[in-house]
DNA sequence: TATGAATGAGTCTTCATTCAT
DNA sequence: TATGAATGAAGACTCATTCAT
């Protein structure tokens, strides 16, 4: 079928692009190399994609947006849960399920996330990590603050957000197998959530002293 | 003195290189730009430095090596201290002084470390972060293991090392003032050390169950 | 009707081509752009037109040929008129009607003429202006020479032809409204015709002196 | 001498560029072609010139600026002359000297002017002709108005300016020899100046009728 | 009629590096 | 020490055109 062949060339291009971007990073990746490895002329690439960045986006955009949605949805549900239970002490401290869910999603597109994480300089995606940090930084305090008269130290909240994202980053980068990643991430996440509570939450009456 | 003038040109070159590398990253940095901003010809640059990478090294190498030395020395001292005290419970859990010392050193060459951290792709320094992770990963268990019959979960040790380095990384990158950085780093480091003990140390008899 | 639809596509293509050629000139005009703006595929364009140049020709050719015909007819009539009247002094010196007629015709296809005038480089039409100059240069002397013993200075005749064409060119390019153009062109043309008589016609006995 | 050789390569590049620009126009001119014909690599061209446009500018800029200066100076002198003589009737109607002077200057850099005239599309020089028209359009009325109670019809003034510039343009383009060009330009310019007086100057009392 | 994938040569430009002087 | 001309390969991208379907 014609359709199959066409489909294949585009797909081939994406596949080779993925490899090249992973190997050499966005900037040093060569479109020529990608094309020749895919057995396609330079012009052809520009039929399918507007430019280098759009080719990169093709690989990276959907998974990234998906994760953002997932996070938003998750935070919304968590907030509802928190408003139901009365106090912090009643909160379930085991976040293994959430950890698994995120790892599950991310590992379906692991290559894409590795790309965003480490090879997206000079791309619209170069600040993606920071964006996720921002999301965490804003959502978690929003979720927990007010509980039992606690408020948030925003600096510490920021660093905790960073550490949390970094933890995921490290796992994604270095562990290939999704199940292994899950197993490793669970205790880390639990530890981090505890840190969040210990380091970033401040009893309202203590606030003045801390700052 | 003639030597002074020459020396100045070299200095100027390094100064402008630092700026350019910080702004555009190692790969995209242009030697032409550096030279013209330093008021020096391309040829001159190649008199002072063998090539682009050596120019980068000039900025980055000494601070990096210094930090490595500092770490080694520190770990050695720590080991001696640990062998003196009998058990984990006697260990001083406040690591503020160490935290301060590292931040102090790093901030003396903050630009250089920022360069290594974020703009050393395609350089011999691109794996520096991993090297520090390795050092931590090997030294800490070496230091603590055996104490009170604990052994180490090497996976967890790896992640804790990563998180620790990441914590420093984040602070270096985002906080300009050294004192502010110290104030922020102290509680984080203490929290991380606690995590190390909780997550990575395993009672010898529990070991089998964990894996 | 199917035919109607097809016809429309062709028409659309021409319309968008006109815009693109006007905006960017023949060379820089992009067939891709034209096609996509017309909602038509590249291949389709090549069904309707052999190549870029033929698309250009489609816009430009007919009006151009029409003007040439008009000029030929006009010169022929003028010659007959001149052979009827005996001497130059009897000639009607007001050429407003002719001026109006040409402007009328040209403004019916003003876009096309603007295209030929300014954006036909690398096209078979790039010398159209010169061709019109040639026509004038040959026809006017042919029409007037012999009258009252005058002959023509062919160099001057050439420049007058050029000036005349340039006068039309300027008006076409800069005046949008046909009536305004007519009003402006009349005195200019009359002035030019006078110049023709003064500068380019030479009493036969003076000829030697002039050259 | 080294200096000679270097000088030659730059000069060679300019020479070949001139040819290529003349043959194919600014846009279609190929830097590759220029370089290879000059026996120089592409990179070398970019040592001497910032980019394609600067190479073009190198050829064209100085002569163009020179002509503008010449015109300004000339207009200034003319104004002084006009304010000395009392009325239009006393004005010397033979402008041969001025005509010669302009042709003289222009023909010293004829290639450059031909380039500006016909091959400067997509360049900062593409509106040079219009700029000269503007200069004429503003200066001549400024010079003559007020004399003997005349004012100016600005439309006609505009077209006369256009025709004057066009006259020069035609001569430059089609006559190779400077002396021949002078001989041809003199009567044309005189004729045009007369036209300026006849067509564009309006007795103040007639003004209302004309418009 | 019309599609749209694909070509292949071409565009300008940038770059780190070299080397005779 | 230092110059600065020159290299040569590579960069992303654009284009008119073709052709199997």
């Amino acid at each position: 079928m014609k359709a199959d062949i066409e489909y294949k060339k585009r797909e081939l291009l994406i596949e080779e692009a993925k490899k090249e971007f992973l190997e050499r990073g966005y900037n040093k990746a060569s479109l020529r190399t990608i094309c020749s490895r895919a057995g396609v002329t330079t012009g052809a690439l520009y039929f399918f994609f507007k430019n280098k960045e759009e080719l990169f986006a093709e690989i990276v955009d959907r998974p990234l947006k998906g994760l953002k949605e997932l996070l938003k949805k998750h935070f919304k549900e968590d907030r509802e849960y928190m408003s139901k239970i009365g106090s912090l002490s009643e909160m379930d401290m085991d976040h293994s399920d959430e950890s698994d869910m995120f790892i599950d999603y991310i590992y379906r597109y692991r290559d894409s996330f590795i790309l965003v994480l480490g090879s997206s300089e000079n791309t619209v995606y170069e600040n993606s990590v920071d964006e996720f940090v921002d999301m965490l930084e804003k959502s978690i305090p929003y979720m927990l603050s007010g509980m039992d008269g606690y408020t948030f130290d925003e600096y510490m909240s920021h660093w905790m957000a960073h550490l949390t994202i970094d933890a995921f980053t490290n796992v994604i980068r270095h562990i290939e197998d999704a199940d292994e990643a899950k197993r490793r991430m669970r205790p880390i996440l639990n530890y981090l959530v505890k840190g969040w509570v210990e380091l970033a939450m401040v009893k309202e009456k203590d606030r003045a002293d801390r700052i």
Side-chain angles (χ1 to χ4, degrees), chain A:
Chain A
M1 282 295 102
K2 181 87 190 298
D4 287 2
I5 296 165
E6 287 156 16
Y7 188 66
K8 249 184 213 156
K9 285 222 168 178
R10 208 190 114 103
E11 228 44 26
L12 227 64
L13 233 17
I14 292 175
E15 212 170 299
E16 292 301 333
K18 214 184 260 184
K19 282 186 212 161
E20 174 80 355
F21 284 135
L22 282 169
E23 271 171 37
R24 318 226 294 143
Y26 177 77
N27 285 308
K28 294 209 108 189
S30 157
L31 297 187
R32 271 190 200 174
T33 304
I34 292 169
C35 287
S36 78
R37 285 218 256 255
V40 153
T41 55
T42 340
L45 188 152
Y46 282 86
F47 173 76
F48 292 114
F49 309 98
K50 214 184 97 207
N51 51 30
K52 197 183 190 180
E53 187 149 11
E54 212 189 60
L55 173 59
F56 189 79
E58 178 68 32
I59 299 169
V60 142
D61 196 66
R62 242 188 311 253
L64 210 51
K65 286 211 175 111
L67 184 55
K68 279 184 192 166
E69 287 314 307
L70 202 63
L71 267 172
K72 275 181 201 159
K73 201 181 127 220
H74 169 71
F75 284 134
K76 205 180 145 228
E77 285 170 9
D78 257 15
R79 273 209 80 219
E80 287 161 10
Y81 163 75
M82 294 306 287
S83 63
K84 247 179 259 167
I85 66 171
S87 83
L88 210 55
S89 56
E90 292 173 57
M91 189 174 86
D92 182 5
M93 290 307 282
D94 182 17
H95 299 78
S96 299
D97 290 347
E98 294 159 68
S99 179
D100 284 9
M101 181 193 62
F102 288 122
I103 292 290
D104 251 338
Y105 180 83
I106 290 168
Y107 271 71
R108 291 220 314 268
Y109 313 97
R110 186 172 165 241
D111 283 348
S112 302
F113 284 105
I114 289 178
L115 242 30
V116 175
L117 255 25
S119 311
S120 57
E121 215 187 353
N122 288 70
T123 288
V124 288
Y125 302 99
E126 67 181 345
N127 298 314
S128 295
V129 171
D130 290 338
E131 285 169 27
F132 281 107
V133 170
D134 275 3
M135 285 180 74
L136 270 196
E137 199 183 337
K138 278 166 193 154
S139 306
I140 306 245
Y142 180 59
M143 196 163 78
L144 296 181
S145 68
M147 279 227 149
D148 305 340
Y150 279 95
T151 179
F152 258 76
D153 177 336
E154 49 185 57
Y155 280 90
M156 279 303 163
S157 184
H158 178 70
W159 302 129
M160 287 312 300
H162 247 306
L163 280 188
T164 308
I165 297 299
D166 288 342
F168 275 95
T169 297
N170 292 330
V171 167
I172 294 165
R173 263 211 263 249
H174 295 102
I175 299 183
E176 285 187 28
D177 179 61
D179 289 326
E180 165 87 6
K182 279 186 216 163
R183 233 174 60 234
R184 291 296 162 189
M185 198 60 215
R186 285 175 212 137
I188 299 175
L189 190 62
N190 285 329
Y191 162 69
L192 286 166
V193 172
K194 252 175 41 193
W196 220 298
V197 172
E198 283 176 30
L199 287 174
M201 291 182 90
V202 196
K203 268 256 181 260
E204 238 139 49
K205 58 180 171 98
D206 298 340
R207 189 117 217 258
D209 313 336
R210 288 281 288 252
I211 291 176

